[in-house]
Amino acid sequence: MSTRTSRGIDQFVPKVLYTQNKVIFFESMIFIVIAWAVLSNVFGLEASISSPSLVGERAYTLVASGTATPHMIATIRRVILGFIITTIIGTVLGIVMGMSDFWRHALQDYITVGLALPSLFAAIFAAMWFGVSDTTPIVAGAAIAFPFLTQNVFEGVKNVDYALLEMSSAFDVSRRRTIWRVIVQSVLPEWFAGARYSFAICWKITTLAELIAAGSGVGFMIERQMEILSLTGVLAWTVLFTGVILIVEYGILQQIEKRVFDWREGTDMGMIGGV
């Protein structure tokens, strides 16, 4: 029944429109914009929810005038620095916890608390410690993000096939080659999953901290628009911010991940050739 239905759909709708994740995502965005426009213009809710045309016009003005550029650069810089700190701390702690029972018992409860710590608390504490400065959003983002990467790396190290390590030792494979070919490549999927999630958290917490204690950045500008009760302004900055996130996600992170995991395809082809 489902096969017949699928074949019937294929006759009228191109398959790419309902099988490709990116295409489906953009279709959903188009639907949201249309629904938003209808609610705003047809039902007279423009004062309450603004409208796509007003938000688009404001966003274009911000970009064309150059107003958005310095604030976007400030936020991106803070996110990158926070993510670098997250990557270093999260990766090191995850590996240490995975390879040592002592450190696992010593750190696991702290990581659990970090996973449950409300984002707002981190932003407020960072603001109290560092005041209005670049340090506040950087520290807040890293403090909330690194426990997620630590937990993922820990799980990856814990699940490494130790039979492969024993085999490497039995065949006198060098330690450096063993670490790269066995441990690193075994943990890489978990590391990438944790890194992408942590990067998204850095975006979110950095913007939140900018809203509380910063003199520039997207969060700071959103806070200024909230002060004058400009919903259109808030949504315009949100749209620009979301656009940057999507560019980074699809244009950079996913491309890096594909290149890093090319070794899997090479390994699979080698196994097929060997057979």
Side-chain angles (χ1 to χ4, degrees):
M1 185 69 176
S2 60
T3 304
R4 292 180 179 177
T5 303
S6 177
R7 290 176 179 175
I9 293 175
D10 289 343
Q11 294 177 358
F12 302 100
V13 181
K15 193 173 183 180
V16 67
L17 294 180
Y18 61 89
T19 58
Q20 297 293 324
N21 291 336
K22 293 179 182 179
V23 175
I24 294 174
F25 170 75
F26 284 111
E27 289 172 350
S28 67
M29 290 298 296
I30 292 173
F31 173 79
I32 290 172
V33 171
I34 292 175
W36 181 12
V38 170
L39 289 173
S40 175
N41 298 317
V42 176
F43 292 94
L45 298 177
E46 188 174 279
S48 301
I49 62 175
S50 191
S51 71
S53 59
L54 290 176
V55 172
E57 181 181 353
R58 180 70 64 84
Y60 174 79
T61 301
L62 291 172
V63 173
S65 65
T67 303
T69 303
H71 296 286
M72 284 292 179
I73 291 175
T75 297
I76 292 172
R77 183 183 70 251
R78 292 161 183 161
V79 170
I80 292 174
L81 291 174
F83 181 65
I84 290 173
I85 296 172
T86 295
T87 301
I88 295 172
I89 297 177
T91 302
V92 171
L93 291 183
I95 292 174
V96 168
M97 289 174 61
M99 299 183 67
S100 169
D101 288 337
F102 170 78
W103 287 111
R104 176 170 62 85
H105 291 300
L107 298 174
Q108 183 62 70
D109 289 339
Y110 293 102
I111 298 302
T112 301
V113 172
L115 293 171
L117 184 68
S119 305
L120 185 60
F121 285 8
I124 292 174
F125 289 147
M128 294 175 66
W129 289 333
F130 304 107
V132 179
S133 66
D134 274 359
T135 307
T136 294
I138 292 171
V139 170
I144 294 296
F146 89 83
F148 292 90
L149 181 57
T150 299
Q151 188 66 32
N152 267 48
V153 173
F154 163 64
E155 294 293 340
V157 174
K158 188 175 65 174
N159 294 329
V160 170
D161 188 351
Y162 285 95
L164 294 176
L165 298 177
E166 294 175 357
M167 186 182 300
S168 299
S169 177
F171 284 94
D172 293 326
V173 178
S174 68
R175 183 175 181 83
R176 181 178 179 181
R177 187 175 177 82
T178 299
I179 291 174
W180 174 249
R181 297 293 296 177
V182 178
I183 297 178
V184 171
Q185 294 189 3
S186 296
V187 175
L188 214 52
E190 284 82 2
W191 186 90
F192 250 103
R196 289 178 65 181
Y197 190 55
S198 298
F199 192 66
I201 292 174
C202 282
W203 278 109
K204 179 175 66 175
I205 306 306
T206 297
T207 309
L208 176 63
E210 287 177 343
L211 191 146
I212 295 174
S216 62
V218 175
F220 170 72
M221 293 305 295
I222 288 177
E223 192 270 339
R224 290 188 62 183
Q225 296 301 309
M226 291 173 62
E227 286 182 351
I228 61 176
L229 301 178
S230 174
L231 178 61
T232 299
V234 170
L235 291 175
W237 280 102
T238 303
V239 167
L240 292 176
F241 179 66
T242 303
V244 173
I245 292 176
L246 292 177
I247 291 173
V248 173
E249 171 65 22
Y250 289 113
I252 300 177
L253 295 182
Q254 286 194 7
Q255 301 308 314
I256 292 175
E257 188 172 6
K258 288 178 182 178
R259 289 181 178 276
V260 169
F261 284 106
D262 279 347
W263 67 270
R264 287 182 177 272
E265 297 179 6
T267 302
D268 292 340
M269 292 300 294
M271 292 176 64
I272 294 173
V275 175

